[in-house]
Amino acid sequence: MDPLWYKDAVIYQLHVRSFFDANHDGYGDFAGLKEKLPYLEALGVNTLWLMPFFQSPLRDDGYDISNYYQILPVHGSLEDFKAFLDEAHARGIRVLIELVLNHTSIDHPWFQEARKPGSPMRDWYVWSDTPERYKGVRVIFQDFEPSNWTWDPVAQAYYWHRFYHHQPDLNWDNPEVERAIHEVMFFWGDLGVDGFRLDAVPYLYEREGTSCENLPETIAAVKRLRKALEERYGPGKILLAEANMWPEETLPYFGEGDGVHMAYNFPLMPRIFMALRREDRGPIEAMLKETEGIPEAAQWALFLRNHDELTLEKVTEEEREFLWEVYAPDPQYRINLGIRRRLMPLLGGDRRRYELLHALLFTLKGTPIIYYGDEIGMGDNPFLGDRNGVRTPMQWSSDRNAGFSRAPHHRLFLPPISEGPYSYHFVNVEAQQENPHSLLNFVRRFLALRNRHAQTFGRGSLALLPVENRRILAYVREYQGERILVVANLSRYTQAFDLPLEAHRGLVPVELFSQNPFPPVEGPYRLTLGPHGFAFFALTPEEPLRVQTPDWKEEAVPESVPEVPLKEGPEILFVETLAEEGSRKAFLDALTQSLRGRSWLALKPERAELLDALRLQKDPPLYLTLLRLEGQGVQDVFLPIRFQPTMVQAPGLFARTWPKEGYLYELSQDAGFYSLLLERLARGFEGRSLKAYYRGHHPGPVPKGLDLLHPGLAAGEGVWLQSGLVQDGGLERTLEVLPQLPFPWILSPKGRLLWERGGQRRVLALTGSLPPGQPREAFALAQAMAAEGLSRLQGHPLPVESRGLLAEALRELEALARLLGVRLALLHQALAEAEGEEGGQPLLGRGLGAFLEVAGEVYLLALGSRGRGHPLEDLARLAYDLERAVALAWEGSEETPWELRSEVGEFLEEALLSAWQSAAQAPPPEKEAWTAAMLRWSEAQLLREDHPARQRIHERWRRKAQET
């Protein structure tokens, strides 16, 4: 266990009685909390803080404990708690509980015994014959208590209490009291809880002439508590101090690393709200500087409200009056020295301010705490009295009692919010699960982002940037080389500003949510943020690698290759009348062996036959060959082969020759060949082999060079060229049929290279024009979109419960899937008209490889050969490619579980099928037929390349086939 785990934690605070009622008695319980652990895991929290669940008369929501060792019966039994704790730990969720060490309930047996005259436990509490002791000590709950002393008629004395009169303070000057509290801690620690929140810790000791707060004796007692905890359990369990004090008063609780592990940053919290309202970062900056200097192993806990209120104790009187006026002008929302409101109503329902505050909560230095229900924007009910208005049942659905309990409404411990804009009919988990733009999914996405960079945000340094515009708060978090820039606009208006990033010159800001790179830092960095906007950037040494490569790899130059006997020139390998059979056989065997490893071929050749060859270039010799490959099927391919007298570092080397020294390269991956062929076609191409004529032309422009998009497909400025490497005979159909289809997103061929012999004709290559822009093969486009979308899903536990969350993260890729589904339906209809119903339906031979993306539009430029099968096969081909694009986008990434990639694949499959079904006005494919088609494609593709991604996809569809 990492002993500093609490620095990387995200804490979720909840009342057990408010969360979920499993036994339908009107009170939440541990069985219900256990049932909702998947929700909490999916939210992205990894630590739970449970408010008091011990035996109590509930005069103060459980902080008035009458038995430290018993669970309040409405919450369940100790066995229920253990079952919940085991399940939480199994899900990687830690649990913190309350250690209420300052006071008990008046109903506690300790106090009842201490009241009796002459009792040996009298000294367990603080008594006095007069209320004049400790004069001048402030009364914390001024709205409810006139004094810190209350007369007890049984004891015939006054007892001391810093909070309610029904909560007498324990006497920590009595060593027996301290030992008893240690035993309580050990009892729950032995059960497996991961830490303790020390409630009201500043008030343990009393001394005349002092404020009775933060006394040296209290600090020493906290250190003894820490020592006892670690002596019994070693490192790993933590203490979190609730010390609502000024910074200089809280810092001693950390000690020199021998005090509490964490403490609440009470002074910072109200100043976040002050800065937001004043639209000036000053209050935040000032308090960040005041709270620096804690021990390295210590940590602040950050929150947006104390669990009961926006507490205003640690502000000046003027600041308190200001905050009351702007956030609680109605006095009924004021309580003690705070504001009893939930977060969303406190912000007037302003979504932008809500998101901005969470941006600060999750990125400032410290461990964030979320109060239950704030992730969906729950409201409050001030008419419930005290602070019960912010403790209402969790709103799970619009069903009865907000889905919290099936008990009769009158038996609920508190009524859910049922009226107004925060009514559970409108604000609930169920309604927000599927809405990608809901508050719930916003928090999920944000926590996933934070969890991906947990150590940087939890442990990293924080450097404030002196931006001239005071409405902008900007800082850099840095840890072990990772630097993250956070920029927040505190204003309700759009702001332009310059960030002083000279110290980070040369780095590239990469926006974390989208993974989009921004221009490199060269000096003051100009940005603009909308009202209450924010942005996070990873400052990286260079633009990260964008996953743009399609489903093929440039071949590395092999260390050794087969040897082909060659006494004279390479023509003896290609020209029929000059051929030497031994040399040609060795040449074809070497070529076959090399092509067997090419994943872009539709089969694994066992042998190759040279059907024809034509020399395109004399020096170095370059031949256009027409080959017949035989394996599990037969495929004719058009392949350029070059003889190189000296070895060059280039892909495609497959043999060396001897005694005439030289090297043979197949040029499927050589962009220079495609440029050369285009130039020759533009000049008008005519050639003659012993067997056939070669004729071709290209009527369009000839750019300086072409980029290879895929073996057999290259493109340049305004031009594309494809050759017959992977078309399975589809070039003939492309040339004949594509110009007949009446769609603006079709790239009809303009030029061609033909092989002709008598009445026979083969299309060896096609050319056409492109609109302006950088072309990209659709498979590469899908990979890039998948990489971007999966990066947004990092940190989300499996399964991704909300399809809305998937839709938001993968919006671009889902849109591509739907676009392809619609266009596939339209193409099938158009082909039926152009070719006739019989045999006219099949479309795609190479799936996504048949499409190009240019300037945001997706174009079709190739058809498959006839006789390929039913439209279902085309849908399966596209679905397979989309799923594999997801797999390849994060190939080798340990951060992305295979289950998540499969889940994304199913999501895209549904998008493709539903779009096709709607456009084709056809019933959905039958499940059995669809599964069989996907299994056939996965088997066929596995034969092309024995790759882990292909294996996993095939295994998934094999299991599905067995299930159906």
Side-chain angles (χ1 to χ4, degrees):
M1 175 192 295
D2 182 355
L4 299 179
W5 62 264
Y6 51 91
K7 288 198 164 196
D8 309 331
V10 176
I11 301 175
Y12 188 89
Q13 175 192 2
L14 61 90
H15 301 262
V16 177
R17 75 178 60 89
S18 300
F19 209 59
F20 187 65
D21 173 18
N23 64 0
H24 314 308
D25 65 353
Y27 288 78
D29 44 49
F30 279 110
L33 181 54
K34 177 185 174 185
E35 189 175 329
K36 292 300 183 181
L37 284 174
Y39 165 81
L40 295 169
E41 184 183 14
L43 181 63
V45 300
N46 49 33
T47 306
L48 301 183
W49 159 22
L50 307 185
M51 298 177 70
F53 51 81
F54 315 100
Q55 185 69 51
S56 167
L58 298 181
R59 298 186 186 96
D60 184 24
D61 205 33
Y63 283 95
D64 50 332
I65 295 174
S66 58
N67 191 318
Y68 285 100
Y69 298 98
Q70 288 184 5
I71 291 175
L72 196 66
V74 293
H75 293 152
S77 65
L78 196 59
E79 292 304 316
D80 292 331
F81 174 81
K82 292 177 181 177
F84 148 75
L85 188 63
D86 289 343
E87 181 65 20
H89 285 162
R91 293 179 177 274
I93 297 175
R94 294 182 170 91
V95 178
L96 308 180
I97 68 169
E98 297 277 357
L99 186 59
V100 182
L101 68 176
N102 176 70
H103 52 260
T104 69
S105 166
I106 58 175
D107 294 351
H108 197 290
W110 295 349
F111 185 76
Q112 292 301 316
E113 179 64 26
R115 298 173 73 194
K116 298 175 183 178
S119 169
M121 294 192 69
R122 181 69 164 223
D123 198 34
W124 281 53
Y125 293 85
V126 182
W127 301 94
S128 174
D129 294 331
T130 172
E132 299 303 313
R133 294 177 64 189
Y134 312 135
K135 294 282 287 186
V137 175
R138 70 189 178 104
V139 177
I140 296 173
F141 287 169
Q142 299 175 9
D143 292 6
F144 301 96
E145 301 293 341
S147 169
N148 288 320
W149 291 102
T150 292
W151 174 259
D152 181 53
V154 175
Q156 289 295 299
Y158 292 93
Y159 62 87
W160 177 256
H161 56 86
R162 291 306 306 273
F163 296 94
Y164 294 109
H165 68 275
H166 53 75
Q167 293 171 322
D169 278 23
L170 289 163
N171 178 20
W172 275 74
D173 278 312
N174 184 346
E176 292 184 19
V177 168
E178 183 168 345
R179 282 195 295 270
I181 294 300
H182 283 201
E183 288 302 317
V184 171
M185 179 176 70
F186 294 154
F187 175 81
W188 295 100
D190 290 348
L191 288 179
V193 299
D194 300 284
F196 301 88
R197 174 188 179 269
L198 307 183
D199 179 64
V201 72
Y203 314 110
L204 300 186
Y205 287 81
E206 300 79 30
R207 294 292 182 267
E208 287 288 359
T210 72
S211 66
C212 294
E213 298 175 7
N214 311 305
L215 298 179
E217 293 87 343
T218 297
I219 304 301
V222 168
K223 291 182 178 181
R224 292 194 297 272
L225 197 68
R226 165 80 176 263
K227 182 180 179 182
L229 184 71
E230 294 193 343
E231 284 180 350
R232 189 175 184 97
Y233 303 108
K237 295 186 188 293
I238 69 162
L239 300 177
L240 167 60
E242 186 213 17
N244 190 355
M245 297 291 153
W246 293 97
E248 67 273 13
E249 297 169 327
T250 305
L251 291 175
Y253 287 92
F254 293 116
E256 299 299 324
D258 58 348
V260 298
H261 301 79
M262 300 176 68
Y264 294 94
N265 199 330
F266 277 100
L268 175 62
M269 182 264 293
R271 285 166 179 83
I272 293 176
F273 286 87
M274 189 183 304
L276 181 65
R277 187 63 187 216
R278 289 176 51 192
E279 301 189 359
D280 186 291
R281 69 175 184 265
I284 297 176
E285 284 189 331
M287 203 47 62
L288 287 176
K289 293 174 182 177
E290 288 293 321
T291 52
E292 291 178 344
I294 64 175
E296 184 176 351
Q299 181 81 320
W300 289 111
L302 305 179
F303 52 101
L304 294 178
R305 289 158 42 265
N306 189 16
H307 53 266
D308 288 322
E309 62 193 72
L310 170 55
T311 180
L312 303 179
E313 284 192 62
K314 298 310 165 189
V315 296
T316 66
E317 289 188 16
E318 293 84 355
E319 290 171 332
R320 185 179 302 122
E321 290 296 333
F322 171 79
L323 290 167
W324 265 337
E325 287 302 318
V326 297
Y327 286 109
D330 187 342
Q332 71 174 334
Y333 291 112
R334 303 178 188 179
I335 185 172
N336 299 319
L337 295 179
I339 302 172
R340 53 173 179 177
R341 299 231 68 181
R342 270 196 174 266
L343 180 60
M344 201 59 172
L346 191 66
L347 299 174
D350 189 327
R351 164 110 185 208
R352 286 178 172 173
R353 293 198 294 171
Y354 173 96
E355 292 186 355
L356 175 60
L357 287 187
H358 279 84
L360 299 180
L361 174 67
F362 295 150
T363 61
L364 284 170
K365 196 170 185 178
T367 296
I369 300 175
I370 302 169
Y371 187 49
Y372 84 97
D374 279 355
E375 72 272 22
I376 60 172
M378 274 177 59
D380 48 43
N381 183 354
F383 302 106
L384 293 178
D386 194 7
R387 288 161 291 185
N388 286 328
V390 295
R391 304 169 178 172
T392 56
M394 180 68 176
Q395 296 170 191
W396 295 104
S397 71
S398 59
D399 199 0
R400 59 182 290 186
N401 300 330
F404 162 74
S405 173
R406 303 299 296 175
H409 183 77
H410 67 276
R411 292 183 58 188
L412 300 183
F413 80 99
L414 283 177
I417 307 298
S418 58
E419 295 183 356
Y422 300 103
S423 165
Y424 68 82
H425 298 96
F426 313 116
V427 178
N428 61 72
V429 171
E430 185 179 71
Q432 295 193 20
Q433 288 270 24
E434 296 303 317
N435 180 0
H437 308 293
S438 67
L439 296 181
L440 174 60
N441 279 322
F442 164 79
V443 173
R444 280 179 170 173
R445 287 193 298 273
F446 218 136
L447 286 181
L449 178 70
R450 180 190 164 86
N451 290 335
R452 283 165 50 201
H453 305 277
Q455 293 197 338
T456 299
F457 287 128
R459 310 186 189 196
S461 62
L462 186 149
L464 292 164
L465 297 180
V467 184
E468 288 188 12
N469 188 334
R470 304 271 317 160
R471 294 176 175 83
I472 300 300
L473 174 66
Y475 44 92
V476 175
R477 304 298 313 275
E478 184 170 358
Y479 185 75
Q480 294 185 350
E482 181 178 51
R483 281 167 285 194
I484 295 177
L485 168 66
V486 179
V487 190
N489 177 14
L490 299 172
S491 172
R492 64 194 185 280
Y493 299 116
T494 299
Q495 300 291 317
F497 50 92
D498 290 322
L499 290 174
L501 292 179
E502 291 83 353
H504 306 282
R505 193 184 303 271
L507 299 182
V508 175
V510 179
E511 202 278 319
L512 288 183
F513 279 107
S514 67
Q515 294 296 300
N516 288 329
F518 276 47
V521 176
E522 298 178 353
Y525 204 82
R526 173 61 57 92
L527 279 180
T528 301
L529 287 178
H532 294 135
F534 55 87
F536 311 136
F537 300 93
L539 299 175
T540 62
E542 57 186 12
E543 183 178 344
L545 178 65
R546 309 296 289 169
V547 182
Q548 304 278 352
T549 56
D551 126 37
W552 56 279
K553 299 183 180 71
E554 288 193 1
E555 306 296 334
V557 177
E559 295 182 2
S560 62
V561 292
E563 188 173 287
V564 172
L566 186 66
K567 297 179 182 179
E568 301 177 20
E571 58 274 4
I572 67 172
L573 305 175
F574 300 100
V575 181
E576 196 75 32
T577 56
L578 303 176
E580 293 185 2
E581 289 305 317
S583 297
R584 176 176 283 197
K585 182 179 185 305
F587 154 66
L588 291 175
D589 288 346
L591 181 59
T592 301
Q593 178 181 330
S594 176
L595 293 178
R596 199 172 294 134
R598 302 294 193 258
S599 62
W600 43 264
L601 278 174
L603 54 73
K604 297 286 186 186
E606 298 297 330
R607 62 180 298 273
E609 177 186 355
L610 183 65
L611 301 180
D612 197 13
L614 175 72
R615 191 175 70 183
L616 178 68
Q617 177 180 279
K618 184 176 182 180
D619 189 20
L622 191 162
Y623 285 83
L624 304 180
T625 69
L626 189 61
L627 297 164
R628 176 159 293 166
L629 305 179
E630 297 179 9
Q632 289 187 348
V634 177
Q635 180 183 5
D636 291 351
V637 298
F638 168 60
L639 194 67
I641 296 176
R642 182 178 65 210
F643 175 81
Q644 191 76 30
T646 58
M647 186 175 180
V648 295
Q649 293 294 319
L653 175 64
F654 67 91
R656 65 185 299 267
T657 60
W658 190 261
K660 181 176 179 59
E661 188 171 357
Y663 300 86
L664 292 168
Y665 294 81
E666 58 90 1
L667 304 182
S668 61
Q669 299 174 74
D670 188 334
F673 160 72
Y674 297 91
S675 297
L676 173 63
L677 181 59
L678 186 68
E679 292 174 4
R680 294 293 300 273
L681 290 174
R683 295 200 300 264
F685 186 95
E686 287 197 10
R688 171 75 174 145
S689 70
L690 291 174
K691 295 183 177 180
Y693 287 99
Y694 293 75
R695 295 188 175 91
H697 70 282
H698 168 66
V702 179
K704 292 182 179 179
L706 297 179
D707 294 324
L708 184 64
L709 304 183
H710 191 285
L713 177 62
E717 187 176 347
V719 175
W720 58 265
L721 182 150
Q722 55 180 322
S723 65
L725 288 175
V726 295
Q727 290 298 304
D728 303 333
L731 286 188
E732 281 82 5
R733 189 180 183 202
T734 298
L735 179 61
E736 294 172 7
V737 180
L738 217 54
Q740 302 179 44
L741 305 184
F743 300 117
W745 36 266
I746 282 182
L747 298 174
S748 298
K750 306 296 182 185
R752 67 205 65 178
L753 174 61
L754 302 178
W755 178 95
E756 296 176 331
R757 180 179 180 179
Q760 299 179 356
R761 187 184 77 162
R762 294 176 183 267
V763 181
L764 302 182
L766 294 174
T767 71
S769 59
L770 283 174
Q774 182 66 36
R776 179 165 47 168
E777 189 195 43
F779 195 97
L781 172 67
Q783 277 185 262
M785 290 178 172
E788 192 170 290
L790 287 172
S791 70
R792 298 168 188 158
L793 290 171
Q794 289 300 301
H796 286 288
L798 290 170
V800 177
E801 289 195 349
S802 169
R803 277 301 174 92
L805 193 62
L806 278 179
E808 176 64 18
L810 298 160
R811 180 182 297 179
E812 299 89 347
L813 190 54
E814 182 197 17
L816 176 63
R818 293 187 182 279
L819 177 68
L820 292 171
V822 171
R823 292 193 171 171
L824 190 65
L826 297 177
L827 284 165
H828 283 157
Q829 295 169 2
L831 284 171
E833 296 180 4
E835 299 180 313
E837 291 289 344
E838 186 176 354
Q841 293 290 336
L843 174 62
L844 300 179
R846 51 172 148 146
L848 287 176
F851 296 89
L852 281 187
E853 180 264 336
V854 185
E857 178 58 280
V858 178
Y859 297 91
L860 178 73
L861 82 161
L863 295 175
S865 61
R866 293 180 178 85
R868 197 150 191 89
H870 189 269
L872 188 66
E873 301 293 328
D874 291 334
L875 282 166
R877 182 70 168 96
L878 288 179
Y880 178 88
D881 276 5
L882 288 169
E883 184 172 352
R884 202 159 66 86
V886 171
L888 293 179
W890 280 77
E891 186 177 10
S893 169
E894 296 180 359
E895 298 180 6
T896 308
W898 178 259
E899 292 85 353
L900 177 56
R901 303 178 196 182
S902 298
E903 193 169 350
V904 171
E906 291 181 0
F907 169 73
L908 297 173
E909 171 194 318
E910 291 175 10
L912 174 72
L913 289 176
S914 64
W916 175 84
Q917 178 187 347
S918 176
Q921 296 183 342
E926 294 181 1
K927 183 177 180 180
E928 186 174 346
W930 171 252
T931 302
M934 289 299 300
L935 182 60
R936 284 195 298 274
W937 269 114
S938 66
E939 287 174 344
Q941 297 301 304
L942 188 59
L943 292 175
R944 298 176 98 176
E945 182 186 24
D946 192 16
H947 187 279
R950 296 186 194 264
Q951 292 172 355
R952 288 189 176 114
I953 295 173
H954 176 256
E955 178 60 25
R956 185 167 84 85
W957 285 104
R958 188 185 64 79
R959 288 197 305 268
K960 282 182 172 289
Q962 290 175 345
E963 293 169 2
T964 55

